[in-house]
Amino acid sequence: NVMLILRRPWLALDVPITASIAAYLPYGAAGPPRADLLCGLIPHEHRAAMLDHFRAALPNEAAAFIVWDEATREFSLIFPTIDEATPSRLIYRTPVLPPGCHMICDAHSHARGRAFFSATDDADDADATKLALVFGRIDDPTGPEMVSRLCAGGMFLPLPRSPFTGDHHAN
């Protein structure tokens, strides 16, 4: 297999990008696929705070970022500057982070709409290495919807489980 092997202070990713090749490969076996969050799972209280922020923004869409500081090993929640927000469109500014801080999760809401990755999301995420989350049906009494993926090397990889502590479902 040809593998994408990507390392960030918060992520170790080894994922096959081709099927097995019947030829000599000069670097040997890459080992089994893996996607390890070296920073650990995101504390559940950040998910709750994001959802509170998204509910407060209704009927409009909203955004949030989860940042991880490699020196303190702490997570923080940042709300970006919003240039335009409507029930179906959101334009925001990605924050500039100090050295050693990493934006590991980019989340936004689709307000009362369904959770899905749009063509705009695909274009925005194509050159990034991050977890991407979209929350929909924010005000649904049975709970919001969430879709998630890992963006890396121009690929969108499914997450096998929620990146938050205390969540046990996959998307």
Side-chain angles (χ1 to χ4, degrees), residues 50 53-54 62-66 77-80 90 92 103 105-109:
M50 272 194 300
H53 176 74
F54 295 163
F65 297 97
I66 304 286
L77 184 60
I78 296 176
F79 301 111
L90 183 65
Y92 56 90
M103 194 272 293
C105 183
D106 179 345
H108 70 277
S109 75

Side-chain angles (χ1 to χ4, degrees), residues 65-87:
F65 297 97
I66 304 286
V67 174
W68 182 71
D69 184 318
E70 66 182 285
T72 65
R73 303 196 58 80
E74 295 290 323
F75 292 92
S76 58
L77 184 60
I78 296 176
F79 301 111
T81 301
I82 304 294
D83 291 327
E84 180 184 347
T86 71

Side-chain angles (χ1 to χ4, degrees), residues 8-12 35-44 46 66-70 73-76 102 104-105 131 159 161-166:
R8 298 288 184 269
W10 61 274
L11 175 69
D36 297 331
L37 288 177
L38 302 175
C39 59
L41 294 175
I42 301 164
H44 197 268
H46 290 313
I66 304 286
V67 174
W68 182 71
D69 184 318
E70 66 182 285
R73 303 196 58 80
E74 295 290 323
F75 292 92
S76 58
H102 306 276
I104 64 163
C105 183
L131 302 174
L159 295 181
R161 59 158 295 174
S162 170
F164 297 99
T165 60

Side-chain angles (χ1 to χ4, degrees), residues 114-139:
R114 298 212 41 125
F116 67 96
F117 289 105
S118 68
T120 300
D121 297 331
D122 291 347
D124 290 346
D125 293 347
D127 296 322
T129 300
K130 64 183 178 182
L131 302 174
L133 310 176
V134 179
F135 290 89
R137 300 193 174 177
I138 295 300
D139 60 348

